[in-house]
Amino acid sequence: MDKVMRMSSEKGVVIFTKSSCCLCYAVQILFRDLRVQPTIHEIDNDPDCREIEKALLRLGCSTAVPAVFVGGKLVGSTNEVMSLHLSGSLVPLIKPYQSILY
Amino acid sequence: MNTTSTHFVPPRRFEVYEPLNQIGMWEESFKNNGGMYTPGSIIIPTNEKPDSLSEDTSHGTEGTPHKFDQEASTSRHPDKIQRRLAQNREAARKSRLRKKAYVQQLETSRLKLIHLEQELDHARQQGFYVGNGVDSNALCFSDNMSSGIVAFEMEYGHWVEEQNRQISELRTVLHGQVSDIELRSLVENAMKHYFQLFRMKSAAAKIDVFYVMSGMWKTSAERFFLWIGGFRPSELLKVLLPHFDPLTDQQLLDVCNLRQSCQQAEDALSQGMEKLQHTLAESVAAGKLCEGSYIPQMTCAMERLEALVSFVNQADHLRHETLQQMHRILTTRQAARGLLALGEYFQRLRALSSSWAARQREPT
């Protein structure tokens, strides 16, 4: 889906979320702790919500939200993000986008 | 209801010594039941013939001794017989009416019970507190939920037994001489054993997420340290770290990084849980309180609760990954010592629970 492709290839860390999703919130907190400011797309307020969800699933995301993209590439949902982080592979991935301050 | 009717009394009771008229009543009532039961050997002093088979064949043998008594009195007092027969008919009729009334009463009660059960189910679905001062989820007898949880508890019992066996084996083996290969297979088994628990919990969470969230299957001391339905991964690392000495520099770095990322992931999930609690509380309190009707709030709150299952799964995923990373960083021998230490730590917590419970029971 074009919209999803366009939004996901934005620079830095992009996360598709829903306002009611608390796991999405948890993932955002994690990135904030890693000194990253992700671009958040809350899809439940988008008229194309259903299509976006389907597109995200088709792209290979285990659950539609949260869907995390880094540098245009799909990282995955909560499971994948947690696994990457514990194995130490997440930080090198987001290093270019980490804020130097604090 | 006073079941003095001869219908309900087993024929065995009617010994040879029973008064004759009672036997008559018994026979008469059976005879009047459209020939439902006419024992072959009891002969009414008329031209009755035994036709249909009885349901209770034992009466057939019992009846034989009385035959002779009846025939003896028949010839001497025909009027008395007639009067007695009439009384029997009346008694039998009344007996049948009583039985009918009783059965009708049973039917009504049965329907009422079904209706009550349905109401109860409906109320439970709506989330109303239904119980006798104990958490209703722990007390469910009738619905399907409980059987899955009962199965989980049984499986967990076996899991603990196997866990204890594995710990003993590790202890024995580590105190002696053991090859790395043998140790590796023990370590693999121990890891798989933990992963199996996570799978069991995932299935149980689908049945009753509150049960898993509250750690109901765990002992009290374990529950004290509960974090989203299990142990804190960061706590686990803290307990195990001293047992890994000596660590290489690379290992030390890896372990430190693991501790930090584990803590960060834990914090993120904890904050997500807080948000879930907050939004759930908002849903429950939405609209006007004190109005007495709250169905829309229940519906919204139920939707929020669905997220709880995902959180429990994520927490277990975190535990899974923590164990996995530990396994990657450590040598086989270090991993074996670590798993032994971990297993013993939980054993001690369980023992603490028992000791504490025993202490509470002691008279002071």
Side-chain angles (χ1 to χ4, degrees), chain B residues 103-120:
Chain B
V103 169
Q104 260 171 9
Q105 208 180 47
L106 281 179
E107 284 293 324
T108 319
S109 303
R110 188 175 148 268
L111 289 171
K112 201 173 177 193
L113 184 65
I114 291 171
H115 181 66
L116 276 173
E117 277 179 353
Q118 281 173 353
E119 265 189 49
L120 204 63

Side-chain angles (χ1 to χ4, degrees), chain A residues 50-71:
Chain A
R50 281 271 164 80
E51 277 80 56
I52 297 176
E53 263 186 271
K54 282 193 209 149
L56 288 170
L57 288 168
R58 254 183 279 120
L59 282 171
C61 209
S62 44
T63 51
V65 289
V68 178
F69 291 80
V70 177

Side-chain angles (χ1 to χ4, degrees), chain B residues 138-186:
Chain B
L139 256 195
C140 293
F141 293 128
S142 55
D143 51 40
N144 293 327
M145 262 171 40
S146 66
S147 65
I149 296 299
V150 166
F152 171 80
E153 290 205 346
M154 275 177 56
E155 242 191 304
Y156 181 68
H158 296 144
W159 188 90
V160 171
E161 278 173 25
E162 174 61 18
Q163 178 78 339
N164 290 336
R165 192 199 63 77
Q166 285 183 359
I167 292 167
S168 297
E169 199 177 2
L170 271 174
R171 195 180 294 125
T172 315
V173 142
L174 280 171
H175 279 144
Q177 295 289 343
V178 62
S179 68
D180 259 15
I181 298 170
E182 194 190 334
L183 208 53
R184 194 175 304 147
S185 84
L186 286 177

Side-chain angles (χ1 to χ4, degrees), chain A residues 18-34 77-88 91, chain B residues 257-258 260-262 264-269 271-273 275-277 279 304 307 310-311 313-314 317-318 321-322 325 328:
Chain A
K18 277 193 188 161
S19 55
S20 56
C21 173
C22 295
L23 269 182
C24 298
Y25 181 73
V27 167
Q28 288 178 58
I29 295 287
L30 181 64
F31 279 106
R32 194 192 63 186
D33 271 355
L34 299 176
S77 194
T78 327
N79 258 17
E80 289 76 33
V81 169
M82 294 294 181
S83 302
L84 271 178
H85 190 43
L86 256 66
S87 67
V91 168
Chain B
N257 286 335
L258 181 63
Q260 190 184 39
S261 46
C262 188
Q264 285 166 336
E266 225 176 87
D267 287 343
L269 279 185
Q271 291 198 49
M273 272 296 287
K275 178 152 197 269
L276 183 60
Q277 277 185 330
T279 54
R304 297 248 178 269
S310 331
F311 266 94
N313 287 336
Q314 273 309 310
H317 177 70
L318 200 61
E321 289 300 297
T322 306
Q325 288 303 315
R328 182 185 65 84

Side-chain angles (χ1 to χ4, degrees), chain A residues 29-46:
Chain A
I29 295 287
L30 181 64
F31 279 106
R32 194 192 63 186
D33 271 355
L34 299 176
R35 296 182 283 119
V36 170
Q37 289 267 48
T39 312
I40 310 292
H41 291 295
E42 244 175 41
I43 66 171
D44 48 346
N45 297 321
D46 196 304

